Amino acid sequence: MNLFSFNLWAQNNLSTEKIDKLILEALSNYRESNYEKSLIISRVALNQSTITKNDYFIARSYNIIGANYNDLVEYDKAIFFYKKSLFYADKAKNDGFKNMLYNNLGNIYCFEKKQYKQGIIFYKKSIELSSKTKDLSQIYFTNVNIAWAYFDIGNFEKGYPYLSFVNKHQKEVGDDDTVIITNMLNGMYCSYKDEGSKARVYFEKAIKLGNEHVEKLDLSYAHLEYSKFLTKNEEFKEAYANLSAYNKITEQIYNDEKVKKASIAGFNLELDEYKRQIDKIENEKITQYQSLKKSRIIVILFIVISFILLLLIVTLIKNIRFKKRHNLELLKAKEIAEEASMLKTQFISTISHELRTPLYGVVGITNMLLEEHKELSQSQHLSALKFSARYLLSLVNDILQINKIEENKVVLESLTFNISDEITMIKNSLSFLSQKNNNKINVSIDPNIPEYLIGDKLRLAQIIMNLVSNGLKFTKDGEVEIIVKLDGIEGKMYFLDFLIRDNGVGIAAIDQGKIFEKFVQVGRKDEDYQGTGLGLSIVKRLLGLFGSTITLESDIGEGTSFSFTIPFEYDPQKTKTIIEEIEVDLTSNEIYKILIVEDNLINQLVTKKIIEKNNYICKVVDDGFSALKILENETFDLILMDINMPLMNGFETTKRIRLLGIKTPVVALTAFDKDEIAEEAISSGINDIIIKPFEPVKLFKIINYLINEAKNGC
């Protein structure tokens, strides 16, 4: 027995040394930015630590995994593994390791997720724990992070006491990992205090030490902050050189190949995590079964009561197993759905921005042609172009945000319109498509329908245009009819019946039930027809917003008919009010001076024309640095700021404008969706947001409101 105990101790001790060596190797690879190898080795260390039930080693393994995901910009995963590490560090009663984890969590919340309040809470927990253990080096390290966090949000006075503590104990407990950042922070503070020469010395020392250090992430931060300092001092060439160095280092650290390989390793690691959960459940199952076997010896003495209890226990175990299995399935399904939703949102955001930017130029130049060449105002072609541009914008917004339609987040508008004019516009816009297949578009409108109705004319136009264009594509040498009849009247609501009929190829009965599904295109050959398969799906969802449904009748070779009914309001007095609100006089007795910050030449031209048409003085600059330069010498009533600009985006430009003490209202003029940028816009000092393309009426309402508010001292 003694010999067996000694061998078991020797085996465990050897295993501990092996795990410790694996953890150190994973940590070394992480510090050299070899994320793939670090994740693979830390996975092996975690498996070994779990087998030996060593809570401290489990905590260390999870910490390295979290650090890798942190560097790979997967912050939610990093937080997840850091918190698992914190759980096992607490079980191991290792306060020193808990200290480090509080710092890691503070770093993510402050510098990555920009949730400074939550991040500083973690930092202060670290200081509290370090004070109990009298760990001066950990207190020193945490003070560096808190000072950096406060400086990052521009609160230099609140952050300086922490930097002062760091400077005081630099020689005593400072190391190579903090000396670069400490010099950078001193440079930032001296820059804030306008002590330029001191700031320059600190920044250059930070960069010199960073170049000598193996890890280059701190060096990149030093280049970035030095660039900001040089910009402040109008040394733009040097500022650009440091900004380029920052971008180059960042690109080297996070190159695509490393991320791709590391993602594979990370996926295997997550599979191991699920496997551990399953093993845990199986172990619980075995334990429960063994306990039940032992209990049966006692149960024999009380057979009747024991039988009832046994049934209850078996039922309870089955319920527990079912709930655990069901919860795991739900959790996995939830994670898959969230990941798919995130990818969809990112795709929609990118495509939305790329499409809205050229559309702004199309809509703006069309309006300019109509305004500058009055003789073209009666041109059907130019009117059709303007209508098509507006329709395309509406279509792009709806297709790119079809998830909002499905969640009933699209709200119908109340606009006055003439049904005959709207359908004529649709007919003219689709004339090119009708000519392609030698088709005719015939229109029949009930004369009993009032001249002006109130409703969402853009959504109605989108429905009719989708159905008519669908008919034209599947018809050759034929005709498509648009028939509108007055079906009935209830108070102020006039119910209109719409019939879109063609004599094309028709739709088979077997396919009629699925043509309204997304991306479905029945009876299509590769060379026949173009389209996304979204048109009829959008029609069905838009009609749902109107409280209506669509009816389909079709036979192969005889054509197709779509019909639906929509109620519109008829109120002459309300129509008059709406028209008066639309035809507002945007001219102003005062002449305001507007600065446009925009890098796209076409967008510069369109925005400048819109502003000058209202008799405002307008100046245009190409980038954020030029904006800062002109604001030093000139005063403006309002600034129109593009967001997506090279070198320095609109958020950073606005932040620097506010740091100069300039309180001029800033309006973000952007193609990004408003919900995506609202939080960052507010934090950077932007007063309002308007999405391109836009109606001039809306822009001037915002301009006049903000300028008057600024003049009144609000």
Side-chain angles (χ1 to χ4, degrees):
M1 289 295 292
N2 290 336
L3 179 62
F4 175 80
S5 298
F6 175 80
N7 289 337
L8 182 62
W9 175 85
Q11 183 179 357
N12 288 338
N13 188 54
L14 181 62
S15 178
T16 299
E17 292 177 357
K18 180 181 177 182
I19 296 169
D20 185 64
K21 185 177 179 181
L22 285 170
I23 291 172
L24 292 175
E25 186 178 355
L27 181 61
S28 176
N29 279 284
Y30 160 72
R31 287 176 172 169
E32 294 174 3
S33 301
N34 193 342
Y35 304 118
E36 175 197 10
K37 197 168 183 179
S38 177
L39 279 169
I40 292 172
I41 295 172
S42 57
R43 176 176 54 134
V44 176
L46 180 60
N47 288 334
Q48 294 294 325
S49 302
T50 304
I51 293 170
T52 59
K53 298 181 180 179
N54 189 316
D55 292 331
Y56 175 57
F57 283 163
I58 292 173
R60 290 174 64 189
S61 301
Y62 273 129
N63 175 58
I64 297 173
I65 295 167
N68 276 281
Y69 277 119
N70 187 9
D71 280 12
L72 293 171
V73 201
E74 301 239 16
Y75 302 124
D76 290 332
K77 287 185 180 180
I79 290 172
F80 171 80
F81 287 109
Y82 278 150
K83 288 185 176 178
K84 288 188 76 74
S85 178
L86 189 61
F87 171 79
Y88 284 98
D90 189 59
K91 286 183 67 177
K93 302 186 185 307
N94 192 314
D95 290 341
F97 203 72
K98 284 168 64 179
N99 250 332
M100 181 184 65
L101 290 166
Y102 281 135
N103 264 290
N104 292 344
L105 287 165
N107 289 341
I108 289 185
Y109 278 104
C110 281
F111 302 114
E112 309 301 346
K113 298 181 78 67
K114 303 302 180 184
Q115 298 176 15
Y116 292 95
K117 184 177 179 181
Q118 182 62 45
I120 290 173
I121 288 174
F122 278 114
Y123 285 146
K124 290 184 177 179
K125 282 185 179 180
S126 175
I127 290 179
E128 181 181 354
L129 200 59
S130 300
S131 299
K132 290 180 181 179
T133 59
K134 297 181 180 180
D135 188 348
L136 181 61
S137 63
Q138 189 62 48
I139 295 173
Y140 168 88
F141 183 76
T142 307
N143 272 269
V144 171
N145 289 333
I146 295 180
W148 195 355
Y150 278 122
F151 284 12
D152 203 37
I153 58 176
N155 198 338
F156 290 91
E157 295 302 330
K158 202 163 185 178
Y160 180 70
Y162 297 96
L163 179 60
S164 181
F165 178 90
V166 170
N167 290 332
K168 181 179 179 182
H169 297 280
Q170 171 70 44
K171 293 182 179 179
E172 186 178 357
V173 290
D175 57 23
D176 293 338
D177 291 329
T178 58
V179 67
I180 300 170
I181 296 301
T182 302
N183 278 283
M184 182 192 77
L185 293 175
N186 277 293
M188 291 170 69
Y189 185 74
C190 288
S191 175
Y192 163 73
K193 300 294 287 185
D194 292 326
E195 297 175 0
S197 57
K198 287 185 179 180
R200 192 182 303 274
V201 170
Y202 279 121
F203 281 127
E204 290 177 352
K205 185 176 180 182
I207 291 171
K208 180 178 181 297
L209 292 170
N211 283 316
E212 297 170 357
H213 202 261
V214 174
E215 185 178 343
K216 300 301 181 185
L217 189 59
D218 292 340
L219 174 61
S220 71
Y221 293 136
H223 276 299
L224 179 61
E225 295 300 332
Y226 192 28
S227 173
K228 294 177 183 178
F229 165 79
L230 292 168
T231 301
K232 178 181 177 182
N233 288 276
E234 300 183 7
E235 297 177 42
F236 298 117
K237 184 176 180 181
E238 289 294 322
Y240 178 78
N242 279 271
L243 187 61
S244 298
Y246 163 77
N247 290 330
K248 183 178 179 181
I249 295 169
T250 305
E251 184 178 355
Q252 288 173 346
I253 294 174
Y254 303 110
N255 65 74
D256 293 337
E257 188 62 26
K258 286 182 179 177
V259 172
K260 181 179 178 182
K261 292 180 179 178
S263 297
I264 295 171
F267 178 73
N268 292 333
L269 186 143
E270 289 176 0
L271 288 179
D272 286 344
E273 183 66 20
Y274 291 134
K275 183 177 181 301
R276 275 191 291 278
Q277 294 292 335
I278 294 170
D279 291 343
K280 182 180 178 182
I281 293 171
E282 291 300 319
N283 289 334
E284 289 177 358
K285 174 182 174 182
I286 293 170
T287 302
Q288 290 168 348
Y289 178 74
Q290 291 175 345
S291 176
L292 185 62
K293 283 184 65 177
K294 293 178 181 178
S295 300
R296 286 177 179 171
I297 299 174
I298 302 172
V299 170
I300 294 174
L301 301 174
F302 307 96
I303 186 66
V304 177
I305 299 174
S306 301
F307 182 73
I308 297 172
L309 290 174
L310 181 61
L311 288 176
L312 292 174
I313 291 171
V314 170
T315 303
L316 179 62
I317 292 173
K318 287 183 177 180
N319 287 337
I320 291 173
R321 290 176 189 166
F322 174 77
K323 287 180 180 179
K324 287 182 178 179
R325 185 166 57 250
H326 186 59
N327 288 339
L328 284 172
E329 291 172 355
L330 288 176
L331 180 61
K332 187 175 181 180
K334 178 176 177 289
E335 290 175 350
I336 293 172
E338 287 176 348
E339 183 177 357
S341 177
M342 181 181 67
L343 291 174
K344 179 181 177 183
T345 301
Q346 290 174 349
F347 172 78
I348 287 172
S349 174
T350 302
I351 296 300
S352 173
H353 180 268
E354 292 303 316
L355 288 176
R356 283 174 178 152
T357 297
L359 272 176
Y360 177 57
V362 173
V363 173
I365 292 173
T366 304
N367 287 331
M368 285 164 53
L369 286 172
L370 287 171
E371 291 170 0
E372 294 178 3
H373 299 275
K374 300 297 183 183
E375 68 276 9
L376 298 177
S377 60
Q378 300 301 320
S379 168
Q380 289 186 351
H381 299 297
L382 199 54
S383 297
L385 174 61
K386 181 179 179 181
F387 176 82
S388 297
R390 293 180 62 193
Y391 162 72
L392 180 58
L393 173 62
S394 175
L395 181 62
V396 165
N397 287 337
D398 282 345
I399 291 177
L400 294 179
Q401 299 180 26
I402 194 169
N403 56 324
K404 291 186 178 180
I405 300 176
E406 292 171 345
E407 295 172 6
N408 295 322
K409 292 183 178 179
V410 176
V411 180
L412 296 179
E413 298 180 353
S414 292
L415 304 170
T416 185
F417 66 97
N418 180 288
I419 190 68
S420 179
D421 291 345
E422 293 299 320
I423 292 179
T424 300
M425 283 286 192
I426 294 171
K427 179 180 177 181
N428 293 337
S429 297
L430 294 176
S431 61
F432 70 97
L433 186 58
S434 63
Q435 293 168 6
K436 179 180 178 182
N437 289 338
N438 194 28
N439 293 321
K440 293 181 180 180
I441 301 175
N442 296 323
V443 177
S444 175
I445 299 177
D446 191 336
N448 294 319
I449 297 174
E451 181 180 7
Y452 289 105
L453 296 171
I454 298 173
D456 195 328
K457 63 179 182 179
L458 290 178
R459 308 293 180 189
L460 174 63
Q462 188 174 346
I463 292 169
I464 297 174
M465 184 169 278
N466 273 334
L467 293 174
V468 174
S469 61
N470 189 72
L472 291 171
K473 283 194 296 183
F474 292 92
T475 303
K476 291 185 179 179
D477 301 318
E479 64 178 16
V480 176
E481 294 180 277
I482 306 173
I483 302 172
V484 187
K485 294 182 179 180
L486 180 60
D487 181 58
I489 303 172
E490 294 182 8
K492 294 183 179 181
M493 302 306 294
Y494 280 59
F495 289 78
L496 304 189
D497 276 345
F498 294 85
L499 174 64
I500 314 297
R501 182 167 58 200
D502 66 67
N503 55 2
V505 297
I507 303 171
I510 193 173
D511 294 325
Q512 291 179 15
K514 55 188 178 183
I515 63 170
F516 294 104
E517 297 176 8
K518 290 186 292 186
F519 307 110
V520 171
Q521 296 173 314
V522 299
R524 171 179 175 172
K525 299 177 182 177
D526 291 340
E527 70 277 6
D528 285 344
Y529 312 108
Q530 296 180 345
T532 62
L534 282 173
L536 294 179
S537 176
I538 292 174
V539 166
K540 182 178 179 180
R541 284 162 174 77
L542 289 177
L543 283 173
L545 296 178
F546 283 104
S548 179
T549 57
I550 191 166
T551 303
L552 164 65
E553 293 181 6
S554 183
D555 290 310
I556 293 294
E558 296 184 7
T560 303
S561 296
F562 292 96
S563 60
F564 54 90
T565 302
I566 296 179
F568 292 102
E569 186 179 1
Y570 174 61
D571 187 338
Q573 186 59 40
K574 188 174 180 181
T575 298
K576 182 180 178 182
T577 303
I578 292 173
I579 293 174
E580 288 174 351
E581 288 179 354
I582 293 173
E583 296 176 353
V584 293
D585 182 10
L586 295 176
T587 59
S588 173
N589 293 328
E590 295 187 58
I591 298 177
Y592 296 134
K593 190 175 179 183
I594 309 296
L595 174 63
I596 298 173
V597 187
E598 168 69 69
D599 66 302
N600 186 289
L601 295 178
I602 295 177
N603 290 352
Q604 286 178 3
L605 173 64
V606 172
T607 307
K608 190 171 186 290
K609 283 285 185 182
I610 292 172
I611 296 299
E612 290 180 341
K613 182 178 178 295
N614 203 50
N615 298 325
Y616 291 172
I617 297 172
C618 179
K619 286 199 175 183
V620 180
V621 293
D622 296 317
D623 55 63
F625 290 110
S626 300
L628 294 172
K629 181 67 176 176
I630 197 173
L631 285 169
E632 291 179 359
N633 303 313
E634 295 187 48
T635 303
F636 294 88
D637 294 297
L638 185 131
I639 302 169
L640 295 177
M641 179 73 66
D642 185 28
I643 296 301
N644 191 26
M645 296 186 295
L647 299 182
M648 184 164 61
N649 63 32
F651 298 128
E652 182 63 25
T653 303
T654 306
K655 285 181 183 178
R656 298 195 184 190
I657 289 172
R658 297 307 184 213
L659 287 174
L660 294 173
I662 298 172
K663 298 182 180 180
T664 303
V666 178
V667 176
L669 206 60
T670 178
F672 285 108
D673 189 76
K674 190 171 184 177
D675 294 336
E676 297 176 24
I677 66 171
E679 185 176 344
E680 190 170 1
I682 292 170
S683 65
S684 64
I686 290 174
N687 300 86
D688 210 333
I689 302 168
I690 187 165
I691 306 302
K692 297 183 290 193
F694 55 82
E695 292 293 335
V697 174
K698 184 176 180 181
L699 175 64
F700 288 117
K701 279 184 179 179
I702 291 174
I703 288 176
N704 292 334
Y705 173 77
L706 290 176
I707 292 176
N708 289 330
E709 194 177 49
K711 288 187 176 182
N712 292 330
C714 298

